[in-house]
Amino acid sequence: QVQLVESGGGLVQAGGSLRLSCAASGRTFNIYPMGWFRQAPGKEREFVALIGWSDSTTNYADSVKGRFTISRDDAKKTVYLQMNSLKPEDTAVYYCAAGILTTTQQGKSDYWGQGTQVTVSS
């Protein structure tokens, strides 16, 4: 089993920045790709970003390209999501995922974190 613990969410004004962290523990030998999804109130969960293993390939939703950056620290088994130029529409619960199988239709992944709230005020 793999445990994922997210941190870094909070309240920020529009235009501000936040950095989310996701620390993996347990049987972490096969956890990539890892990434982030989000779910806003009344909406379905959607893909945000992912990072691969062998070549650190990254992929982003169109809505966050140029504003969000995903990265990883292998020694700490941690994945980060740097979020800049935040908008009110970025408000959501952000979920870390490991062993991502698909990014469409709310996404499928072997493991999910508990979620961290990000609120962007206008």
Side-chain angles (χ1 to χ4, degrees), residues 5-6 10 12 38 58 66 69 75 79-80 89-91 95 109-110 113 120:
V5 178
E6 301 117 328
V12 65
R38 68 186 182 186
T58 58
T69 302
V79 171
Y80 303 97
E89 50 264 43
D90 294 318
T91 295
Y95 296 93
S109 184
D110 288 334
V120 184

Side-chain angles (χ1 to χ4, degrees), residues 4-8 19-25 31-36 49-53 58 60 69-82 95-100:
L4 303 174
V5 178
E6 301 117 328
S7 60
R19 188 177 80 156
L20 305 182
S21 300
C22 174
S25 61
I31 57 175
Y32 287 95
M34 288 186 67
W36 297 88
L50 68 76
I51 187 165
W53 167 249
T58 58
Y60 298 92
T69 302
I70 189 169
S71 61
R72 71 183 200 219
D73 184 326
D74 294 338
K76 295 182 179 180
K77 297 181 181 178
T78 298
V79 171
Y80 303 97
L81 185 67
Q82 178 66 44
Y95 296 93
C96 178
I100 294 173

Side-chain angles (χ1 to χ4, degrees), residues 10-85:
L11 173 64
V12 65
Q13 289 187 333
S17 299
L18 283 174
R19 188 177 80 156
L20 305 182
S21 300
C22 174
S25 61
R27 298 171 63 86
T28 59
F29 55 85
N30 191 27
I31 57 175
Y32 287 95
M34 288 186 67
W36 297 88
F37 292 75
R38 68 186 182 186
Q39 186 167 19
K43 295 186 177 182
E44 293 186 342
R45 186 172 61 204
E46 64 176 4
F47 167 72
V48 176
L50 68 76
I51 187 165
W53 167 249
S54 61
D55 58 357
S56 293
T57 299
T58 58
N59 190 20
Y60 298 92
D62 288 342
S63 58
V64 306
K65 282 181 180 177
R67 300 188 298 122
F68 291 11
T69 302
I70 189 169
S71 61
R72 71 183 200 219
D73 184 326
D74 294 338
K76 295 182 179 180
K77 297 181 181 178
T78 298
V79 171
Y80 303 97
L81 185 67
Q82 178 66 44
M83 305 185 294
N84 299 328
S85 302

